[in-house]
Amino acid sequence: MSSTIESISSVVGVPAGFDENDAQWYLNRELTWLRFNRRVLAEAQDERTPLLERVKFLAIVGGNLDEFFMKRVGGLKQQVGAGLSTPTVDGRSPQEQIDDCHVLVKEIEADMHAVARELLALLREQEIEFLRIDEIDEETRGALRALYRDRYYPLITPQAIDPAHPFPFISNLSLNLLVKVRPGAGQEPSLVRVKVPIGPAMPRFLRVPGRRDAFVPVDDVIAENLDLLLPGMEIESCERFRVTRNAITEKDEEEADDLLVLIQSELRERKFAPIVRLEVEGSMLATSRRMLARALGLDRHADVFAQDGVLGYRDFFELSWLDRPELQHPVHEPVEPAEFAAADTVFDLIHERGSLLVHHPYESFKATVERFLIEASHDPKVRAIKTTLYRTSEDSRIIDALIAAARNDKQVAVVVELKARFDESKNIRWANRLEEAGIHVTYGVVGFKTHCKVIYVLRQEGDHVARYAHIGTGNYHAGTARLYSDFG
């Protein structure tokens, strides 16, 4: 290492006596990642970016910060809990990294709120309205009440918080209402927690009846109609909060008898992992913040993030996909490379041209990589297909092609990486589906993550077996192949 540093120093003019172990020369991984997201946020601030694309970038940063707390801050907190204080190469202990990250996160969140206010004003100019309940007339509020009563009300179970009822479990990234109620005159007030039902087919932002592109947060509608949930009670306050749980729950793989069972166990434990962040609306009372922090086992100064505006900016993804093409980037259509279009089969093309380079998303993933695997799955000369899977899409043609190959009596072997963060449950489903088709499935390598993207095809050609391969930088995922820049 030192000889390498010395040779570099002589070329670039580094002073004699340069110490490569000096912390000042190194960047911190966590702070660098946050600064990267600040650059992503700059896309939402850039007036040259189409308006709905700016909304999407704001949502991306919100989602990235959620993952940052689940993965990075969660891991650092585990180190602190274990009593580790060894500094990283940049000279920061785990606790110092957490403290510095919190400062930078709060700066980013302040910028996000300013950007959100600007974008909502610009959206309103384009007749895309993001309304408060008090901006909606009584008749329309009645229609929203009916919609809420039919679709959301049956899903909600209010939970009392009092000496007879312990503080309820709060799920990861859930949006919640903390409601202070008084049962009757002269009686002591009590608290109720209401979880806002958001998920597939349950959007955060409800379209206002009779308005083309006007929306209101479903949590506002629930708060407006608490009399349905808590009849006969006086509502004294209603405050929003949101929690983020640690996603780092890995166990010792070398001690596991069954990696699949281990990952399934980790997924169950992740639901109940320690909370690493509490977000509250800026107007929440100090007494409510203290109570929540105490109940959730958090430091009310370090771990509580007060935020004006909407809690959970990742939900703005719902607005970014509106059918307003004039406010979005033109839809990109990847091209089919000319040599692929002219070839009868990919195997003929490789015989003729040798190795081929494709560049996604500019060149079509479907017309190159998927075609290669689909042709291999049906080619009577192909004897075996071996591949790795890290992430793939719900409607994956890759999975279908592998199953088709197995049904066509080819030897198929797949390495499924079960530890693909936040896709573990999906990958377990893929693995089960592949095994049911008779495919030989292995679950990565103990102690490592399998990030390589490789398809290996063995084809009988005359009296020898020819070997064909695809090696790529991106996942075998048709969706992300249209978004990210990758080579194959």
Side-chain angles (χ1 to χ4, degrees):
M1 175 71 175
S2 59
S3 61
T4 303
I5 294 293
E6 289 172 4
S7 60
I8 294 174
S9 301
S10 63
V11 173
V12 300
V14 174
F18 170 76
D19 181 7
E20 68 269 22
N21 296 314
D22 191 331
Q24 68 173 313
W25 304 116
Y26 296 92
L27 299 174
N28 179 265
R29 182 181 74 164
E30 320 305 351
L31 296 175
T32 302
W33 192 93
L34 286 173
R35 292 188 181 105
F36 157 74
N37 275 279
R38 216 166 193 164
R39 296 193 293 276
V40 177
L41 184 60
E43 293 291 336
Q45 297 168 312
D46 192 339
E47 295 179 356
R48 298 169 299 177
T49 304
L51 185 53
L52 286 179
E53 302 293 342
R54 295 173 68 181
V55 173
K56 182 161 60 178
F57 278 114
L58 178 64
I60 289 171
V61 177
N64 285 353
L65 286 181
D66 288 343
E67 292 193 10
F68 178 77
F69 275 89
M70 287 190 282
K71 294 166 61 176
R72 304 300 196 193
V73 176
L76 289 171
K77 280 182 171 287
Q78 283 184 331
Q79 294 179 39
V80 172
L84 300 179
S85 59
T86 304
T88 51
V89 69
D90 63 291
R92 290 177 173 86
S93 69
Q95 186 58 57
E96 287 173 331
Q97 292 181 73
I98 292 173
D99 295 341
D100 290 346
C101 286
H102 281 180
V103 171
L104 189 49
V105 165
K106 289 178 179 178
E107 293 175 2
I108 293 173
E109 288 184 337
D111 290 342
M112 290 173 69
H113 178 55
V115 172
R117 283 187 302 183
E118 177 190 356
L119 295 180
L120 292 175
L122 293 171
L123 287 168
R124 182 163 289 204
E125 291 177 7
Q126 299 295 326
E127 298 182 345
I128 301 174
E129 298 177 289
F130 189 79
L131 302 174
R132 300 188 310 271
I133 281 288
D134 58 14
E135 295 179 286
I136 301 172
D137 63 77
E138 287 296 329
E139 182 180 352
T140 306
R141 285 161 81 164
L144 281 170
R145 180 180 175 90
L147 176 64
Y148 158 71
R149 187 174 55 237
D150 292 340
R151 293 185 57 190
Y152 288 87
Y153 171 73
L155 303 176
I156 299 175
T157 303
Q159 296 173 289
I161 305 171
D162 57 34
H165 301 86
F167 195 86
F169 171 77
I170 310 295
S171 55
N172 186 39
L173 301 183
S174 63
L175 179 64
N176 306 271
L177 306 180
L178 182 67
V179 186
K180 187 176 182 180
V181 299
R182 191 178 296 272
Q187 298 189 45
E188 288 296 313
S190 61
L191 295 174
V192 176
R193 177 256 184 159
V194 176
K195 180 179 178 179
V196 179
I198 302 172
M202 304 297 292
R204 169 78 181 277
F205 303 117
L206 293 180
R207 194 179 293 270
V208 176
R211 309 275 284 271
R212 179 194 172 194
D213 286 327
F215 301 88
V216 62
V218 68
D219 37 301
D220 282 8
V221 179
I222 295 173
E224 171 78 0
N225 294 282
L226 284 172
D227 61 296
L228 292 176
L229 280 175
L230 306 165
M233 294 191 179
E234 178 187 348
I235 308 299
E236 294 196 352
S237 65
C238 178
E239 301 167 310
R240 292 157 183 79
F241 71 95
R242 186 173 183 263
V243 304
T244 310
R245 290 184 177 272
N246 186 6
I248 307 297
T249 56
E250 282 90 347
K251 299 179 180 179
D252 188 349
E253 295 175 21
E254 295 185 2
E255 299 295 323
D257 296 324
D258 188 320
L259 185 58
L260 178 61
V261 173
L262 176 73
I263 298 299
Q264 290 172 325
S265 172
E266 288 179 0
L267 289 176
R268 287 192 295 271
E269 291 187 10
R270 186 180 295 172
K271 294 180 180 180
F272 303 96
I275 293 172
V276 295
R277 176 179 61 164
L278 168 64
E279 296 172 274
V280 301
E281 58 181 339
S283 60
M284 177 176 278
L285 296 172
T287 52
S288 299
R289 297 187 195 188
R290 287 196 297 270
M291 185 280 295
L292 284 173
R294 184 174 61 252
L296 298 172
L298 299 173
D299 184 314
R300 65 187 177 92
H301 300 294
D303 299 322
V304 180
F305 293 76
Q307 184 170 302
D308 294 321
V310 173
L311 290 184
Y313 279 118
R314 68 189 300 159
D315 294 332
F316 274 105
F317 273 118
E318 295 177 12
L319 300 180
S320 69
W321 303 113
L322 288 174
D323 185 20
R324 296 291 295 274
E326 74 278 11
L327 302 178
Q328 298 160 319
H329 285 308
V331 177
H332 171 69
E333 291 297 339
V335 299
E336 180 180 8
E339 58 267 36
F340 279 82
D344 291 333
T345 71
V346 176
F347 301 110
D348 292 339
L349 178 59
I350 294 172
H351 270 297
E352 179 184 341
R353 295 285 301 275
S355 296
L356 300 156
L357 180 69
V358 291
H359 191 184
H360 312 300
Y362 313 104
E363 295 177 306
S364 170
F365 179 81
K366 177 180 179 180
T368 55
V369 179
E370 286 188 350
R371 177 184 172 185
F372 170 58
L373 185 57
I374 290 170
E375 286 184 358
S377 69
H378 294 283
D379 189 325
K381 295 182 180 180
V382 168
R383 298 290 177 259
I385 299 174
K386 306 178 184 184
T387 188
T388 60
L389 281 180
Y390 188 75
R391 299 187 200 275
T392 190
S393 52
E394 290 288 349
D395 54 347
S396 175
R397 296 175 43 157
I398 298 293
I399 297 291
D400 291 341
L402 293 170
I403 292 173
R407 289 173 177 167
N408 290 330
D409 295 327
K410 304 178 191 312
Q411 298 294 319
V412 183
V414 180
V415 176
V416 176
E417 181 49 78
L418 296 181
K419 300 187 293 296
R421 183 78 67 197
F422 306 123
D423 272 340
E424 297 95 336
S425 58
K426 289 182 183 178
N427 286 7
I428 288 172
R429 290 200 303 272
W430 301 139
N432 290 336
R433 187 178 167 199
L434 293 170
E435 287 186 325
E436 288 169 0
I439 293 172
H440 179 67
V441 178
T442 55
Y443 304 122
V445 180
V446 171
F448 295 90
K449 275 192 179 181
T450 305
H451 274 281
C452 62
K453 285 58 178 200
V454 178
I455 299 172
Y456 189 49
V457 175
L458 294 97
R459 188 171 186 259
Q460 188 72 43
E461 297 180 357
D463 57 357
H464 75 284
V465 175
R467 296 164 174 81
Y468 298 83
H470 169 265
I471 303 173
T473 62
N475 295 312
Y476 290 124
H477 190 301
T480 57
R482 292 179 63 91
L483 297 175
Y484 304 139
S485 179
D486 285 297
F487 290 104

